[in-house]
Amino acid sequence: MRSKKQPTLALLVIVAVVAFVVSQTFSVITERNNSERLGEVRNQLYPSLELSTINRGLLQLIEN
């Protein structure tokens, strides 16, 4: 005799596995999108930041 709890437990396990797979897929997609955005920001802002740092150093030399 099968108890009524076995199908319920199996359904619960299936739902948990599906939820885990969905959450991991979402995490991977989000990580890739964030990496792309970070690369774009680095390519756009890093040269400006580097020039600003150089200019600040030159201004400090002029002031002294």
Side-chain angles (χ1 to χ4, degrees):
M1 281 182 129
R2 282 180 114 180
S3 104
K4 192 173 182 178
K5 291 183 181 180
Q6 285 179 342
T8 305
L9 181 61
L11 181 62
L12 181 63
V13 170
I14 291 170
V15 168
V17 168
V18 169
F20 176 75
V21 170
V22 168
S23 70
Q24 291 302 306
T25 303
F26 178 76
S27 294
V28 168
I29 291 170
T30 302
E31 185 271 331
R32 287 183 182 170
N33 289 339
N34 287 342
S35 292
E36 288 176 11
R37 280 192 217 150
L38 183 60
E40 291 173 5
V41 168
R42 186 179 338 131
N43 291 338
Q44 292 173 359
L45 294 181
Y46 181 74
S48 299
L49 179 62
E50 188 176 11
L51 287 175
S52 298
T53 303
I54 292 169
N55 287 340
R56 183 175 181 192
L58 291 173
L59 285 173
Q60 287 176 343
L61 287 175
I62 292 172
E63 290 176 353
N64 292 335

